[in-house]
Amino acid sequence: MTPFLAYVDKGADRSSIPLVLVHGHPFDRTMWAPQIETFSAARRVIAPDLRGYGASPVVPGITPLSDFAADIEALLDDLEVETFVLGGLSMGGQIVMECYARFPGRIRGLVLADTFPAAETEEGRRVRGAMADRLLREGMRGYADEVLERMVAPYASAEVKAHVHRMMTAAPPEGAAAALRGRAERPDYRELLTRVTVPALVVVGADDTYTPVPDAEAMHKALPHSTLRVIGGAAHMPNLERPEEFDEALAAFLGHVDASSQPSPHGPRL
């Protein structure tokens, strides 16, 4: 049974294409707070807490990316959102790719931020499994302390660091562990990217060590209709570290998607 997801749904303007934002691990929907504030002025913005995170139900065990994608599809059905631009960061970007594999006809544009499409390696599967065990055994704080200055750059503002650390330590260990185990078994999305027919925006922090710039460049090369934006002065979470630059890139992309979705004033070409 699909859990009922907690979510924010903000923005009264229904004339523009809705924007749906998917958070990464081990965060929650508040990681998109700057973008929700910025873009809800002109369009509907929806940001769920994934199962196992934030205020959504915790489902222990293993959560494959396909379950996350099914949850998002069910939520958008409930909200009667037929078509939308779909964006995600890190694990959220991989969930976005899974969504495109499942229901491409509903997606008008993709935003892939600080993510990568390849399947997990044997070593990666081992590391994720060991980390899942650790989180269940120890909780989230030690992990959060260790990775904070890779999630955001060491030079990020104290306010941004505090926000990111707070999200990580608040994540339920059972939900985070289930996601790690599911993500370890994810499929390879590289061939899928070559078949994407909608516009895509690829964004990456210049100092990201989890998903470095060459990963973003490879996705940009694979996607038929994509734009690449490297955000200076940011690591793995440029939407929080450099929100003005991130929002500028996203605004230009959304404007392009909106314009390409408008019917021609001269009617269809024959």
Side-chain angles (χ1 to χ4, degrees), residues 168-228:
M168 290 194 288
T169 55
E174 297 83 0
L180 283 170
R181 296 189 195 283
R183 195 177 178 194
E185 302 303 325
R186 68 183 180 274
D188 192 322
Y189 297 109
R190 286 176 290 185
E191 194 276 330
L192 173 72
L193 294 186
T194 67
R195 296 185 281 107
V196 171
T197 60
V198 298
L201 172 65
V202 179
V203 188
V204 65
D207 294 332
D208 190 347
T209 58
Y210 281 119
T211 53
V213 171
D215 288 352
E217 291 172 338
M219 288 194 299
H220 170 53
K221 184 176 180 180
L223 287 157
H225 312 288
S226 69
T227 301
L228 173 64

Side-chain angles (χ1 to χ4, degrees), residues 98-109:
E98 179 65 27
C99 287
Y100 191 84
R102 291 176 60 93
F103 44 91
R106 299 179 67 172
I107 299 172
R108 298 287 187 87

